[in-house]
Amino acid sequence: MKKRKVFLGFFILLLFLLCACGRVSGPEEDRLIRVGFSQLGSESDWRAANTKSMTAALSEQNGFELLFDNAKQKQENQLLAIRNFIQEEVDYIVLAPIMESGWEDVLQEAKEAEIPVILVDRQISAEDEELYSCWVGSDFRAEGDMAVQWLEEELVRSGKAGEPLRILHIRGTDGATAQIGRTAALESAVRRHPEWEIAGVLPGEYTEAKSYELVRDFLKTDRDIDVIYSENDNMCFGAMRALEEAGLSYGTDGQIMLISFDAAQHALQLCLEGKINACMECNPLHGPRVADLIRQMERGEQPEKQNFVKETLFRADTLTEDILQKREY
Ligand code: GZL
């Protein structure tokens, strides 16, 4: 009897020690992969769709334990989140960086903690490419080039090629890869077309509210606009509200052409109605892609460093209800 009590006491002590050291993990194959995901914010329809995709893919039923942090558009919050993930000893860190600069120190800490980092959506500018394992996202310069190519072709179609053109540029968050690429495409086109002029550049930060305020104020002094090049849907929505208040028409039957990026459901519906002339797709459904990259690394494989997604441009004159219904976001 006494022996049984000693054994039971020893067993309870062992169980306590195992639990006290953090986790009593089950068999290796049943262990959840712990992922810390630093999402930059919730500023747009695109970001909401991206978060939904990421959290659905990195779910417990798919074999993941997800530690999710929303940085509310502040880089300092992302830095804090990453350091917390390191303290938590996650297996992987996934980062959607709000801007390209400012990541070297914190990613060096992750590297020293031997925690692989996967970048999603925007990129970072770091000397040491070993600070992250791989990246998945869009080719933002290509997106901008496709949008500009549409504008050039539209001007030919309407017989206005070569005529003076004034473009209002609503820019995304400064230093974000999406902003850098889409802006570069427009600036390159303006250099190619001496008859084109940038009437103004508004820092809309990808939000509808900021874009509305900036466009409303801009139109108080300058109403001579032919095109609005909006670097995401939500800023385009803000511009539309300001145009309506100023009594200016837009879209396929209006005086001002609207070009938008992301092509989420709401914008595509407006495109179908002819209110937005062209919507450049920016696919946010990175959840399954990131999950696959992690599974590759779990198998000891090294994924491609850069993983681009394919995207298309939607035009008001070719978009159909059937296409819209088939969209996933
Ligand atoms: C693009 C993404 C941008 C979207 C915006 O991949 O980084 O950020 O275009 C979002 O809608 O806010």
Side-chain angles (χ1 to χ4, degrees):
M1 185 58 179
K2 192 178 176 189
K3 277 188 179 176
R4 189 179 300 174
K5 279 184 179 175
V6 169
F7 175 76
L8 187 60
F10 176 75
F11 178 73
I12 291 168
L13 174 64
L14 177 65
L15 205 57
F16 171 77
L17 289 174
L18 281 173
C19 291
C21 75
R23 295 191 320 264
V24 177
S25 58
E28 194 51 32
E29 64 278 1
D30 295 343
R31 192 178 69 80
L32 296 175
I33 303 169
R34 299 184 77 229
V35 177
F37 173 35
S38 169
Q39 176 61 291
L40 66 88
S42 38
E43 74 286 356
S44 64
D45 295 2
W46 188 99
R47 190 65 52 194
N50 178 247
T51 295
K52 185 179 175 188
S53 174
M54 295 291 291
T55 51
L58 300 174
S59 64
E60 189 167 333
Q61 71 188 53
N62 289 340
F64 298 95
E65 178 190 349
L66 179 64
L67 287 71
F68 175 80
D69 181 87
N70 180 331
K72 299 182 174 61
Q73 290 257 87
K74 293 189 184 320
Q75 183 176 36
E76 59 266 29
N77 291 344
Q78 292 199 280
L79 299 174
L80 278 173
I82 292 169
R83 291 190 166 105
N84 176 48
F85 296 150
I86 294 170
Q87 290 300 317
E88 287 285 332
E89 296 181 338
V90 297
D91 299 309
Y92 296 87
I93 289 172
V94 178
L95 169 63
I98 185 164
M99 62 187 69
E100 292 199 349
S101 58
W103 304 98
E104 287 83 351
D105 293 348
V106 77
L107 294 188
Q108 183 58 36
E109 292 165 34
K111 185 176 180 181
E112 286 160 11
E114 297 181 344
I115 301 175
V117 174
I118 294 172
L119 300 180
V120 60
D121 181 24
R122 303 172 191 175
Q123 303 214 21
I124 66 169
S125 58
E127 291 288 314
D128 177 5
E129 284 237 323
E130 294 312 305
L131 287 177
Y132 68 95
S133 298
C134 52
W135 166 87
V136 57
S138 302
D139 184 338
F140 302 109
R141 174 59 195 259
E143 290 178 352
D145 289 339
M146 279 194 262
V148 164
Q149 184 183 343
W150 170 83
L151 179 57
E152 290 170 326
E153 292 168 355
E154 182 62 22
L155 291 169
V156 170
R157 277 193 291 269
S158 61
K160 294 182 177 176
E163 293 181 8
L165 191 79
R166 300 192 81 237
I167 302 168
L168 179 58
H169 176 198
I170 310 177
R171 208 173 52 194
T173 300
D174 283 348
T177 315
Q179 178 271 312
I180 294 167
R182 294 168 185 167
T183 295
L186 177 62
E187 291 176 345
S188 169
V190 170
R191 286 193 295 272
R192 282 200 312 274
H193 291 277
E195 73 278 15
W196 292 10
E197 175 195 355
I198 299 289
V201 182
L202 306 178
E205 294 174 3
Y206 294 122
T207 70
E208 180 172 345
K210 186 73 184 282
S211 171
Y212 163 70
E213 288 167 12
L214 293 170
V215 175
R216 177 198 61 197
D217 294 348
F218 178 88
L219 293 174
K220 287 174 183 167
T221 56
D222 187 341
R223 295 165 59 91
D224 180 19
I225 301 297
D226 301 302
V227 182
I228 292 182
Y229 182 94
S230 175
E231 293 187 356
N232 91 329
D233 294 338
N234 297 80
M235 296 191 296
C236 190
F237 304 156
M240 290 162 77
R241 187 150 60 101
L243 291 171
E244 286 157 15
E245 286 180 2
L248 293 168
S249 64
Y250 53 83
T252 53
D253 300 329
Q255 61 200 101
I256 297 172
M257 289 187 276
L258 301 186
I259 298 171
S260 182
F261 289 81
D262 288 349
Q265 274 288 333
H266 182 191
L268 277 186
Q269 181 61 47
L270 293 168
C271 189
L272 187 67
E273 295 166 7
K275 292 175 181 167
I276 297 177
N277 299 72
C279 269
M280 181 61 227
E281 179 186 14
C282 179
N283 190 300
L285 306 180
H286 295 317
R289 299 169 185 137
V290 169
D292 286 349
L293 292 170
I294 291 174
R295 291 192 188 98
Q296 284 180 51
M297 295 166 77
E298 283 289 290
R299 293 193 299 267
E301 300 164 15
Q302 174 51 50
E304 290 293 321
K305 193 79 173 177
Q306 307 281 323
N307 301 273
F308 289 95
V309 295
K310 294 211 178 316
E311 297 166 331
T312 187
L313 180 129
F314 297 97
R315 299 165 29 177
D317 56 347
T318 56
L319 185 58
T320 65
E321 185 67 45
D322 183 51
I323 293 171
L324 183 58
Q325 291 311 318
K326 287 180 180 145
R327 300 295 296 164
E328 292 177 67
Y329 68 94

